[in-house]
Amino acid sequence: MNENGKINDEELEQAAGGMIFNAANTPEDDFDPRFPWEVIDNNNGKVLGKFATYDQACQYAKSFGDDSYNTMQVYWDTVSRLRANPNVFPNPQ
């Protein structure tokens, strides 16, 4: 992830959709109160980007496609479950 809170191009190629997560008031180690809205990879719960507003996060999440889970807001229990049990799929080359 680069300094503006977004993943790099290599990481982006392996990402599969983006769900919206408000990290405020959660046990996130790297929570930044300036950017409480996160876009989360729907396969493994990794942070794809951090944003100041919900609308900014939605715009970024939509860039992953029109799937129904893109822009879907999720909560800490979902994020922690994804991180504990990631769905890892090989990247087809």
Side-chain angles (χ1 to χ4, degrees):
M1 186 177 298
N2 62 29
E3 68 271 358
N4 67 0
K6 293 185 180 177
I7 61 174
N8 62 40
D9 289 340
E10 183 178 323
E11 293 169 312
L12 182 62
E13 287 178 17
Q14 297 180 16
M19 297 182 292
I20 309 294
F21 173 60
N22 185 344
N25 303 314
T26 65
E28 290 273 73
D29 291 335
D30 60 349
F31 173 69
D32 184 342
R34 298 172 301 153
F35 303 102
W37 293 98
E38 298 178 350
V39 176
I40 304 295
D41 187 308
N42 70 326
N43 283 329
N44 56 26
K46 288 185 179 180
V47 177
L48 301 175
K50 296 181 179 191
F51 303 89
T53 69
Y54 174 81
D55 289 338
Q56 290 170 336
C58 281
Q59 183 178 3
Y60 184 65
K62 286 178 184 177
S63 72
F64 291 96
D66 294 329
D67 295 318
S68 61
Y69 52 79
N70 289 334
T71 72
M72 177 174 64
Q73 188 171 352
V74 295
Y75 300 94
W76 178 246
D77 60 334
T78 301
V79 174
S80 58
R81 187 172 55 250
L82 283 170
R83 290 177 181 169
N85 302 294
N87 295 317
V88 181
F89 299 102
N91 189 12
Q93 298 287 339

